[in-house]
């Protein structure tokens, strides 16, 4: 038996020495291939163990909301193209809210309520899944965005918020906190715009009220200064008195001529008529003087000045009335512009961990490693062939 083994070993040694360019190289090449592919198996095995034994499960909570204006129809019932054509404003609101949820302000607000750093950097979770406790603010924001994702459906403008955390309760609390902050933000923006519009209109109303008070005061001062309620009406009244007195004077003068024809000049009736004529003439002169001049200004100038003040007052009143109407319209429009969140799907407590997708990740890594191995082996074989040539 021993002799047989010795002879076999000597035969193998002779074979290897005589065929050094053939079988022995093939054996080395096969061993090299096995050794190189062993790294693929090692990496794959470590990843499988990591997913099965060490990786921390993460839970996902989802909520769906819609930004609705007071004067806007609900998107759930608007399936016709004609109705959906008016969703430009809703699309802008959805994109605005999406960017706010992903902002550092949202992170600061939620972190103050839930202490995100303590949860995501806890030592209970595996090293590769958790966040470093001393992470910079920029990396903290990136980690936050990876665990609170927001998407917008273009057709309906419904916003989907997905919160990912290491416990079901924290996942739901994360989404609930995001909804509260989002609703406060969208309400605050719309109310701020509405208050700014109303404040501007109220300022214009106060300015118009001040102009009315100023015009009224100027007109009252003018009336008190000239002791006239309405110069135009006063002038018309004086003119009517003058016209009446002139008519009475013509009648008396005609009567005097008639009486002169058959009475003596010292007759009592004739003397009375002449006295009345003289009185009316004197009064007529006074009224004409009053009509033609009142102090240093003529009544026409006074009337022109009064009409100017009156026109200014009426103009100020028109502006004031318009400001009142504008204020009421602004209040109605501001109410119609108010926005709030309509919850289409409220966040629920997740039952199972959806992240990571272990089987999918394992299969994907195995395929990728084999592709890399095949590509590298092909490159090495090509290089060897060129060397042999």
């Amino acid at each position: 038996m021993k002799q047989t083994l010795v002879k076999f070993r000597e035969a193998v040694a002779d074979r290897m020495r005589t065929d050094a360019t053939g079988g022995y190289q093939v054996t080395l090449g096969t061993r090299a291939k096995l050794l190189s592919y062993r790294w693929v198996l090692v990496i794959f095995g470590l990843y499988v163990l990591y997913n099965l034994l060490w990786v921390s499960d993460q839970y996902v909570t989802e909520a769906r909301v819609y930004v609705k204006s007071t004067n806007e129809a609900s998107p759930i019932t608007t399936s016709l193209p004609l109705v959906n054509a008016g969703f430009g404003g809703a699309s802008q609101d959805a994109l605005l809210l999406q960017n706010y949820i992903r902002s550092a302000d949202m992170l600061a607000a939620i972190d103050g309520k839930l202490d995100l750093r303590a949860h995501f950097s806890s030592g209970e979770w595996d090293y590769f899944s958790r966040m470093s406790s001393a992470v910079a603010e920029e990396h903290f924001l990136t980690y936050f965005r990876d665990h609170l994702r927001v998407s917008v459906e273009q057709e309906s403008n419904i916003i989907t918020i997905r919160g990912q955390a290491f416990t079901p309760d924290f996942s739901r609390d994360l989404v609930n906190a995001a909804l509260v902050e989002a609703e406060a933000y969208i309400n605050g923006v719309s109310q701020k715009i509405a208050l700014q519009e109303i404040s501007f209109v109220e300022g214009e109303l106060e300015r118009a009220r001040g102009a009315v008070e100023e015009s009224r005061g100027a007109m009252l001062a003018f009336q008190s200064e000239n002791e006239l309620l309405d110069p135009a009406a006063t002038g018309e009244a004086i003119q009517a008195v003058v016209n009446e007195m002139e008519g009475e004077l013509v009648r008396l003068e005609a009567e005097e001529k008639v009486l002169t024809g058959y009475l003596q000049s010292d007759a009592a009736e004739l003397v009375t008529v002449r006295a009345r004529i003289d009185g009316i003439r004197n009064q007529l002169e006074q009224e004409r003087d009053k009509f033609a001049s009142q102090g240093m200004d003529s009544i026409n100038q006074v009337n022109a000045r009064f009409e100017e003040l009156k026109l200014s007052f009426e103009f100020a009143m028109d502006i004031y009335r318009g400001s009142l109407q504008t204020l009421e319209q602004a209040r109605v429009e501001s109410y119609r512009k108010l926005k709030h969140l309509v919850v289409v799907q409220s966040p629920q407590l997740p039952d199972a961990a959806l992240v990571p997708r272990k089987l999918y990740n394992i299969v994907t890594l195995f395929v990728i490693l084999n592709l890399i191995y095949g590509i590298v082996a092909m490159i090495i074989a090509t290089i060897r062939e060129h060397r042999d040539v």
Side-chain angles (χ1 to χ4, degrees):
M1 185 67 180
K2 292 182 178 180
Q3 293 178 354
T4 304
L5 290 174
V6 170
K7 290 180 180 180
F8 177 75
R9 290 177 181 175
E10 290 177 352
V12 172
D14 292 339
R15 177 63 178 171
M16 292 176 65
R17 284 193 297 268
T18 56
D19 194 14
T21 59
Y24 186 63
Q25 288 183 349
V26 172
T27 304
L28 291 177
T30 304
R31 289 182 178 179
K33 289 182 180 179
L34 290 175
L35 287 174
S36 61
Y37 192 74
R38 203 175 286 172
W39 288 107
V40 174
L41 298 178
V42 169
I43 295 173
F44 179 70
L46 291 175
Y47 187 75
V48 170
L49 292 176
Y50 167 72
N51 278 272
L52 296 179
L53 303 178
W54 193 20
V55 68
S56 298
D57 292 332
Q58 298 186 44
Y59 299 84
V60 177
T61 300
E62 181 178 297
R64 294 161 64 85
V65 296
Y66 176 78
V67 182
K68 184 179 182 300
S69 298
T70 306
N71 62 335
E72 182 181 316
S74 175
I76 308 303
T77 59
T78 53
S79 58
L80 297 178
L82 181 61
V83 179
N84 283 332
F87 275 7
S91 177
Q92 294 178 357
D93 294 335
L95 293 176
L96 176 65
L97 190 60
Q98 179 187 25
N99 283 274
Y100 174 72
I101 294 175
R102 293 173 51 84
S103 68
D105 293 337
M106 174 65 82
L107 170 59
I110 297 180
D111 189 31
K113 292 181 178 179
L114 301 180
D115 195 2
L116 298 178
R117 286 181 178 271
H119 175 78
F120 288 119
S121 62
S122 175
E124 299 179 16
W125 326 126
D126 71 89
Y127 177 80
F128 297 102
S129 299
R130 69 173 181 259
M131 182 182 67
S132 174
S133 58
V135 68
E137 290 296 331
E138 293 78 8
H139 297 119
F140 186 23
L141 180 60
T142 302
Y143 190 91
F144 170 75
R145 289 173 176 174
D146 291 338
H147 288 72
L148 186 66
R149 299 181 180 272
V150 188
S151 60
V152 179
E153 296 181 8
Q154 295 183 354
E155 295 79 8
S156 60
N157 296 309
I158 292 179
I159 305 170
T160 302
I161 305 174
R162 293 182 179 90
Q164 177 179 327
F166 293 103
T167 62
D169 293 332
F170 199 90
S171 173
R172 184 182 59 180
D173 294 342
L174 177 61
V175 176
N176 280 326
L179 289 178
V180 172
E181 294 299 326
E183 185 170 11
Y185 172 76
I186 202 68
N187 289 339
V189 169
S190 58
Q191 289 177 3
K192 183 178 180 180
I193 295 175
L195 291 176
Q196 287 178 347
E197 292 179 353
I198 293 176
S199 177
F200 174 77
V201 176
E202 287 179 345
E204 292 298 310
L205 180 63
E206 289 298 324
R207 188 179 64 84
R209 183 182 291 113
V212 169
E213 295 295 334
E214 183 179 355
S215 299
R216 181 187 290 114
M219 189 168 62
L220 291 175
F222 181 82
Q223 290 174 335
S224 300
E225 180 182 353
N226 293 273
E227 298 181 352
L228 295 172
L229 181 62
D230 188 346
T234 302
E236 292 177 358
I238 294 175
Q239 184 64 48
V241 171
V242 169
N243 293 337
E244 184 179 356
M245 292 178 66
E246 286 179 347
E248 182 67 16
L249 181 60
V250 170
R251 188 185 65 79
L252 290 175
E253 288 177 347
E255 184 179 354
E256 180 189 11
K257 290 181 180 180
V258 174
L259 293 176
T260 304
Y262 63 89
L263 292 177
Q264 294 182 357
S265 60
D266 57 350
E269 186 176 356
L270 185 58
V271 172
T272 302
V273 171
R274 287 175 177 173
R276 292 181 61 188
I277 290 174
D278 293 337
I280 290 176
R281 283 176 178 173
N282 293 331
Q283 185 64 33
L284 185 60
E285 288 295 329
Q286 293 179 5
E287 294 297 331
R288 284 175 177 173
D289 292 340
K290 183 186 298 184
F291 183 76
S293 175
Q294 200 174 51
M296 297 299 295
D297 300 326
S298 66
I299 197 169
N300 292 329
Q301 293 176 343
V302 173
N303 184 48
R305 176 59 181 161
F306 181 79
E307 288 297 328
E308 180 182 352
L309 294 174
K310 184 178 179 181
L311 181 62
S312 177
F313 174 73
E314 291 176 351
F315 180 71
M317 283 297 299
D318 290 339
I319 295 178
Y320 181 68
R321 294 190 191 97
S323 298
L324 284 175
Q325 294 177 355
T326 304
L327 179 60
E328 292 303 319
Q329 292 176 356
R331 287 174 176 170
V332 174
E333 289 297 325
S334 298
Y335 171 74
R336 295 176 62 185
K337 290 179 181 178
L338 292 179
K339 299 177 178 65
H340 58 276
L341 285 183
V342 176
V343 179
V344 180
Q345 175 183 325
S346 60
Q348 303 295 327
L349 188 68
D351 296 329
L354 301 180
V355 179
R357 300 167 62 184
K358 298 179 181 179
L359 181 60
Y360 174 82
N361 293 339
I362 290 173
V363 173
T364 302
L365 180 65
F366 183 74
V367 173
I368 292 174
L369 289 176
N370 280 276
L371 288 175
I372 294 174
Y373 172 77
I375 293 172
V376 172
M378 187 180 299
I379 293 174
I380 294 175
T382 304
I383 293 174
R384 285 177 178 175
E385 288 179 359
H386 282 80
R387 284 182 178 180
D388 292 340
V389 174

